[in-house]
Amino acid sequence: MAEPFLSISNLRLTAQTDRGTATILRGVDLNVERGHILGIVGESGSGKSSLVSTIMGLLAPGLRTEGSITLDGVDLLRLDSAGMAALRGNKLAMIFQDPMTALNPVFRVGTQLVDVVLNRYPGTSHEEAVRRASDALVKVGLSDAARRMKDYPGQLSGGMRQRVMIAMALLCQPDILIADEPTTALDATIEAQIIDLLRRLRNEFSGSIIFISHNLGTVMQLCDEVAVMYGGHLVEVGAVRDVLAKPLHPYSRALIGCEIDDQPLDVPLAFIPGKVPETLDNPTGCIFAPRCNYATTACERSMPALRPFNGQMAACVRLEEIA
Ligand SMILES: Nc1ncnc2c1ncn2[C@@H]1O[C@H](COP(=O)(O)OP(=O)(O)OP(=O)(O)O)[C@@H](O)[C@H]1O
Ligand SMILES: [Mg+2]
């Protein structure tokens, strides 16, 4: 088994609000192996974006973290803001839902790509950086790369801008590339093209990718492992084929809808009755118990930790009984 090189341990994220302490992440443990693609799925509000924003060091002011996030031996939570800024665009890079979040509207696409190369590989000549930037645009399928280099981001379509972000990631070769619902803002055809592009390019990334998506078909096509998130907890982690084919945790079962025969995988996540827990709630028992078809009194005691079962990991006390 490959060594995990991103290791998240007992990560908690809290915010002080005028209604009390909001707990956004409730003790997340997660390992990402080198070169692997990890998908994160879970309903809206489960904490997916908060988790990756914490890894990137891009949290709103006032949020408090506990635990550790170790990347190649360095605890990112112990770095100051200058240390984190130095890692972003270097060891850590992110593709956002809206590429304009990361692209600067007043600089040409080419200038921004060249800056990525020069920042990542100081000492590269300007000509070489331009050549690499242009090659990257060709690789992500943008025709007429020379013209695209001179365009401003606003002159490109959403799909083209997302291709530019992927080109940036190729140039930067981060250890961890995070993509937070990178195709949600695109129409279905362009979405399929971008996923296909990521799939074809996956061998060109030496690092690991964390991919957040609402679409199980996409996760199935792209990812090696998947983590299922609920109410600030990870409730299941495992190989994507295993988890999607035979989810263990009652929440994953409901989410993946495996109990409905012949459900196609290429559909959005299933709808589960009830609502996700509030960040202001502090339940003593299992966070999913109020919505769980399998809940018993044993589930009221405490939130179970992730534990190995049948080659996967799931956080449920009743795995043996309900398997
Ligand atoms: N700065 C903050 N202060 C208080 N609560 C916050 C803050 N940021 C996020 N939250 C809360 O944390 C919870 C998780 O939010 P997050 O955006 O991480 O969810 P998500 O899984 O990415 O959802 P979506 O699928 O809609 O993108 C939400 O209830 C959100 O309101
Ligand atoms: Mg989100």
Side-chain angles (χ1 to χ4, degrees):
M1 198 162 136
E3 50 172 323
F5 89 127
L6 178 73
S7 183
I8 299 175
S9 175
N10 201 16
L11 178 64
R12 289 175 56 81
L13 178 67
T14 52
Q16 295 310 322
T17 74
D18 29 358
R19 289 165 59 217
T21 302
T23 309
I24 302 164
L25 300 176
R26 298 174 188 264
V28 170
D29 291 310
L30 182 67
N31 289 323
V32 183
E33 289 173 21
R34 199 181 287 275
H36 280 211
I37 304 186
L38 171 82
I40 303 182
V41 299
E43 281 166 292
S44 186
S46 56
K48 305 177 299 295
S49 296
S50 301
L51 175 60
V52 294
S53 304
T54 310
I55 299 171
M56 289 293 290
L58 293 173
L59 289 174
L63 289 177
R64 207 179 108 89
T65 55
E66 284 165 59
S68 66
I69 303 177
T70 315
L71 175 63
D72 226 2
V74 176
D75 185 352
L76 303 185
L77 295 182
R78 301 283 166 278
L79 290 179
D80 59 13
S81 52
M84 273 314 288
L87 286 188
R88 282 193 295 270
N90 185 337
K91 288 187 159 206
L92 296 170
M94 183 147 173
I95 300 175
F96 296 89
Q97 189 172 321
D98 175 5
M100 286 310 275
T101 316
L103 290 169
N104 190 326
V106 304
F107 290 108
R108 293 179 199 275
V109 165
T111 310
Q112 298 187 55
L113 291 170
V114 165
D115 281 352
V116 167
V117 179
L118 295 177
N119 180 43
R120 179 70 163 112
Y121 305 101
T124 310
S125 72
H126 192 262
E127 293 69 27
E128 171 65 11
V130 169
R131 193 186 60 73
R132 283 197 213 168
S134 171
D135 286 353
L137 287 183
V138 173
K139 241 178 215 166
V140 297
L142 281 179
S143 53
D144 206 352
R147 187 174 128 219
R148 294 300 165 222
M149 296 272 283
K150 295 203 177 76
D151 280 343
Y152 292 91
Q155 293 171 272
L156 306 180
S157 69
M160 288 160 102
R161 288 200 283 260
Q162 213 50 296
R163 286 177 195 268
V164 169
M165 290 310 301
I166 296 168
M168 267 188 186
L170 282 175
L171 289 168
C172 165
Q173 285 294 335
D175 288 343
I176 303 283
L177 172 65
I178 291 171
D180 188 355
E181 301 200 41
T183 57
T184 307
L186 305 173
D187 70 47
T189 316
I190 308 291
E191 171 174 29
Q193 289 172 6
I194 297 286
I195 297 301
D196 187 53
L197 175 68
L198 282 171
R199 234 173 53 179
R200 281 187 290 114
L201 291 179
R202 72 160 289 177
N203 293 334
E204 308 224 5
F205 288 105
S206 53
S208 310
I209 302 177
I210 299 177
F211 181 80
I212 298 178
S213 175
H214 275 116
N215 190 305
L216 294 173
T218 303
V219 169
M220 179 82 150
Q221 284 173 18
L222 197 62
C223 301
D224 303 301
E225 281 96 35
V226 62
V228 181
M229 200 156 184
Y230 183 77
H233 284 283
L234 290 187
V235 295
E236 182 156 355
V237 183
V240 82
R241 278 168 284 108
D242 298 340
V243 175
L244 295 191
K246 50 170 183 68
L248 297 173
H249 193 281
Y251 176 66
S252 320
R253 293 180 183 209
L255 187 75
I256 292 162
C258 72
E259 285 157 333
I260 304 166
D261 284 343
D262 297 329
Q263 169 147 331
L265 273 173
D266 195 16
V267 292
L269 300 177
F271 172 76
I272 306 171
K275 62 183 189 57
V276 290
E278 298 263 344
T279 51
L280 292 168
D281 294 345
N282 267 317
T284 43
C286 171
I287 191 104
F288 187 56
R291 294 169 83 187
C292 182
N293 291 334
Y294 303 93
T296 65
T297 46
C299 306
E300 288 162 18
R301 272 179 232 131
S302 60
M303 177 66 201
L306 278 175
R307 62 184 169 108
F309 188 83
N310 279 357
Q312 290 154 236
M313 303 274 286
C316 173
V317 291
R318 302 199 62 208
L319 294 176
E320 289 77 4
E321 295 157 81
I322 66 178

